Amino acid sequence: AAILELTVAIGILLLYFQKTREDLSEREEQYRSLFKNNHAVMLLTDPETADIVDANPAACAFYGFSWEELTARKITDINTLTNERVSQEMRKAGQKQQNRFSFRHRLASGEIRDVEVYSGPIGVHGKTLLYSIIHDVTDRRRTEERLHATMSQFAALIDNMCEGILFEDKTRRIALVNQAFCSMFNFSE
């Protein structure tokens, strides 16, 4: 009877381990599918060595490297910061002190792109890696710079006009006045 109970217990444990292995395999396949089939640029990086451990097809297309070429590099080969600064930023991400970063990354062509990186730790096969999603924000930054320059020119033009000028916002609050307006009514800005 004891042998029969032991045999049944072993059988139940084997079924449990098989189910656990199947569940783990299914989760790994889901992760792999989400990583590989996603259109967002994604990298897995080793925070200790700065090695790029994995890259999805979107990352390969963005950076202009094959998967083999990209995973043979370190993130310090792509990021334009010094190696020490990259290490500091990786530590912040790994310790969950910060998860959003603004960097400049170098493509295979040598072109530099402004990127926002969302990064955090993830356990893979018993090792902690950094899982990063990269967004190219170069065009947005250039547009913001042009807008800022235009607004500065506009403000200088308004301020140097001889006529008094006043702008109101939607709530009819004064948003901007020039020096001529202030002089006309003896107001300070």
Side-chain angles (χ1 to χ4, degrees):
I3 292 177
L4 181 59
E5 286 178 17
L6 184 59
T7 304
V8 169
I10 290 173
I12 291 171
L13 280 174
L14 287 174
L15 286 173
Y16 172 77
F17 287 131
Q18 171 129 6
K19 174 74 172 128
T20 302
R21 190 175 320 146
E22 289 171 1
D23 289 346
L24 181 59
S25 178
E26 185 177 319
R27 277 187 250 144
E28 284 180 359
E29 182 55 36
Q30 286 173 340
Y31 163 77
R32 179 78 29 214
S33 179
L34 287 170
F35 185 77
K36 292 293 182 189
N37 297 328
N38 203 306
H39 297 288
V41 175
M42 297 182 186
L43 296 175
L44 282 179
T45 310
D46 185 331
E48 294 175 13
T49 64
D51 290 335
I52 298 173
V53 175
D54 201 358
N56 71 348
C60 296
F62 175 69
Y63 289 108
F65 294 109
S66 69
W67 183 86
E68 293 79 11
E69 292 170 324
L70 196 50
T71 56
R73 286 179 163 61
K74 295 181 177 295
I75 196 64
T76 51
D77 297 332
I78 291 171
N79 196 312
T80 62
L81 292 176
T82 65
N83 291 359
E84 180 55 37
R85 282 288 313 278
V86 171
S87 294
Q88 289 172 357
E89 300 302 300
M90 290 174 71
R91 275 192 294 281
K92 288 178 190 175
Q95 296 169 357
K96 298 181 182 180
Q97 294 173 346
Q98 185 177 342
N99 67 352
R100 182 183 168 280
F101 303 88
S102 293
F103 295 129
R104 303 192 81 211
H105 280 187
R106 183 176 292 106
L107 308 183
S109 66
E111 181 182 1
I112 304 294
R113 303 295 288 181
D114 293 312
V115 295
E116 284 182 352
V117 178
Y118 295 85
S119 191
I122 185 172
V124 178
H125 301 298
K127 186 157 180 72
T128 300
L129 301 176
L130 291 179
Y131 172 67
S132 300
I133 299 174
I134 296 101
H135 298 282
D136 183 1
V137 295
T138 305
D139 294 337
R140 183 183 82 198
R141 290 261 166 81
R142 288 179 182 157
T143 300
E144 289 170 350
E145 288 170 3
R146 284 194 302 267
L147 178 61
H148 179 72
T150 301
M151 292 302 293
S152 294
Q153 291 170 345
F154 176 73
L157 177 69
I158 296 296
D159 204 43
N160 289 318
M161 293 182 77
C162 296
E163 294 82 20
I165 297 179
L166 174 134
F167 286 100
E168 295 178 339
D169 64 15
K170 292 177 185 178
T171 64
R172 301 200 43 105
R173 290 183 50 156
I174 296 174
L176 175 74
V177 295
N178 68 353
Q179 189 58 47
F181 182 89
C182 292
S183 296
M184 289 168 72
F185 296 98
N186 203 20
F187 291 140
S188 67
E189 278 190 55

